[in-house]
Amino acid sequence: MKLAWILWLASMLPPQAADSLCLSATLYLEARDQSTQGQQAVAEVALRREDSGLWGDSMSDVVTARKQFAPTIVSPNTQLANMKAWDPSIDVALRAERNWALPVGQRR
């Protein structure tokens, strides 16, 4: 599947689903060859930026802010074809979002 299709799909989804999809795509593009911990680090950077509000009010806004993350740096025609890397990216993104939703003192 192409990045452009994923971003289009995200624009059609409810905000929470769109944010999860955009974060997953970002983890895939930025850190698919990294360990789980490396992917978690990328997710945390994006989540911290979302909290700051400086790059937008949603995860979709944050990861598509001009030249901040891979979705705006690589070609929209980039194929996200490695399904062995896609599944962990989704898993890490969803776990990071659940963790970030906890009160600050309870986050891992």
Side-chain angles (χ1 to χ4, degrees):
M1 67 194 129
K2 287 185 180 180
L3 175 59
W5 183 84
I6 289 174
L7 295 175
W8 172 83
L9 179 60
S11 73
M12 298 293 145
L13 292 171
Q16 186 174 358
D19 286 351
S20 296
L21 180 59
C22 286
L23 182 57
S24 297
T26 299
L27 295 180
Y28 175 90
L29 292 167
E30 296 270 350
R32 70 180 169 273
D33 61 343
Q34 301 296 311
S35 66
T36 299
Q37 188 175 16
Q39 289 187 5
Q40 290 169 334
V42 172
E44 185 171 333
V45 168
L47 289 161
R48 286 180 183 276
R49 287 185 182 190
E50 181 183 21
D51 274 359
S52 78
L54 296 175
W55 287 271
D57 297 328
S58 69
M59 182 57 63
S60 297
D61 290 342
V62 169
V63 301
T64 59
R66 189 171 183 268
K67 295 188 178 187
Q68 294 299 309
F69 287 99
T72 62
I73 298 170
V74 303
S75 167
N77 292 321
T78 299
Q79 292 282 341
L80 283 72
N82 182 346
M83 291 300 111
K84 287 180 89 173
W86 180 246
D87 290 343
S89 297
I90 294 169
D91 182 54
V92 170
L94 294 175
R95 283 188 290 124
E97 289 175 324
R98 282 193 303 272
N99 181 56
W100 206 256
L102 296 171
V104 174
Q106 294 179 17
R107 293 179 187 164
R108 290 176 277 131

